[in-house]
Amino acid sequence: MPGHARRPLWPDKTPAQKLATLRDQMLDLYRYQLGDALAEIGAMLDAHQPADAKEARDIQRIKDLIEAHPNILNRNCEVGHITASAAIVDLAARRALLHWHKRLNRWLQVGGHTDYETDIAQAALREAREETGLPDLAFYPPRGKPAPIDYDVHSIPETGDAPAHLHLDFRYLLVTERPAALAPAKGESTRFRWLTFAEALRPGDAIDESLRRLLRKAAAMFDIETDEESA
């Protein structure tokens, strides 16, 4: 049988070189364990048609970061990580749900971290259920495997002991037939509003351009005209 490794390991390497070697070995383990999931994510990105140049650049950036950082699904990836979010639409009234993000001080769709999950769609659904309490959330369209309708890369500022990093956001579309059943879990934001798409997309509101793009896509999927289109 092979003999055991003898200490000290790598005696000819500096502490920094040893740390780099251990880091490479850790990333190799991520590639081995998550290779199939990352390949599926890559195929999903390849199949998506970007709506504008910003989304096209973001998709390429996500591909590059996945290639360089196989731990990109986890928060221990220093440069950033994949997140999952969703626009939620009230089916009957054709309204969109937004909630106020206290730390970022703007209206956003619901969403959050994947927390070691490889099924990003299910992570988006879990986050939406936790943040809203809506009991009947379902992916739209209802046929086939859920796929994001939008991708966005954005910077998250440094807070506390968390350094500045990127969120690589995979954005889905969910629907509900029970909009009055909002009941966010304890500790979640309670500031929500249901808006028509015209209201959500009106100029001057605290909604960034990437969210506007997501809402425009959602409106188009329901053949809803907005004031932007009729202007």
Side-chain angles (χ1 to χ4, degrees):
M1 294 181 63
H4 289 288
R6 296 181 179 277
R7 292 182 290 180
L9 297 174
W10 315 309
D12 57 333
K13 293 187 177 182
T14 67
Q17 289 172 328
K18 292 178 182 179
L19 183 61
T21 299
L22 289 170
R23 183 185 182 88
D24 288 343
Q25 290 177 342
M26 180 193 75
L27 293 180
D28 284 343
L29 284 174
Y30 274 107
R31 288 189 182 93
Y32 176 76
Q33 292 178 331
L34 299 176
D36 290 344
L38 295 176
E40 185 175 343
I41 292 169
M44 192 163 57
L45 290 162
D46 288 338
H48 185 80
Q49 294 297 318
D52 54 30
K54 166 68 165 58
E55 189 179 15
R57 290 193 301 271
D58 285 350
I59 288 172
Q60 186 58 54
R61 193 174 190 187
I62 294 171
K63 292 178 183 179
D64 293 342
L65 288 169
I66 289 174
E67 179 66 25
H69 304 278
N71 60 330
I72 199 77
L73 282 163
N74 303 325
R75 287 193 237 190
N76 64 12
C77 183
E78 295 170 347
V79 67
H81 33 262
I82 289 173
T83 55
S85 69
I88 296 177
V89 174
D90 169 5
L91 266 178
R94 296 298 197 261
R95 299 178 300 169
L97 180 65
L98 299 182
H99 85 116
W100 184 257
H101 196 292
K102 292 182 288 186
R103 183 160 61 86
L104 298 178
N105 292 316
R106 63 176 184 261
W107 292 102
L108 293 173
Q109 74 279 14
V110 297
H113 295 92
T114 56
D115 290 337
Y116 299 95
E117 297 153 286
T118 57
D119 190 329
I120 304 173
Q122 290 305 309
L125 181 60
R126 172 185 54 76
E127 285 287 339
R129 286 172 172 165
E130 290 175 359
E131 292 188 12
T132 69
L134 291 169
D136 66 335
L137 289 172
F139 289 102
Y140 189 91
R143 299 172 302 280
K145 186 172 183 178
I149 66 168
D150 191 75
Y151 294 91
D152 185 70
V153 176
H154 51 271
S155 299
I156 300 299
E158 178 181 359
T159 55
D161 60 353
H165 59 279
L166 297 174
H167 276 181
L168 320 179
D169 203 26
F170 288 51
R171 297 171 164 185
Y172 294 80
L173 179 58
L174 297 172
V175 294
T176 179
E177 296 185 79
R178 298 179 60 187
L182 271 175
K186 185 177 181 180
E188 299 288 352
S189 169
T190 59
R191 189 177 173 188
F192 288 90
R193 59 180 183 177
W194 288 103
L195 297 173
T196 66
F197 285 93
E199 290 170 336
L201 292 168
R202 65 191 173 195
D205 213 342
I207 297 175
D208 65 27
E209 185 53 37
S210 70
L211 177 52
R212 290 179 184 276
R213 187 183 65 223
L214 173 62
L215 293 175
R216 290 187 196 107
K217 290 183 180 183
M221 293 180 74
F222 290 102
D223 294 320
I224 299 171
E225 289 192 3
T226 66
D227 289 348
E228 292 182 320
E229 295 166 342
S230 60

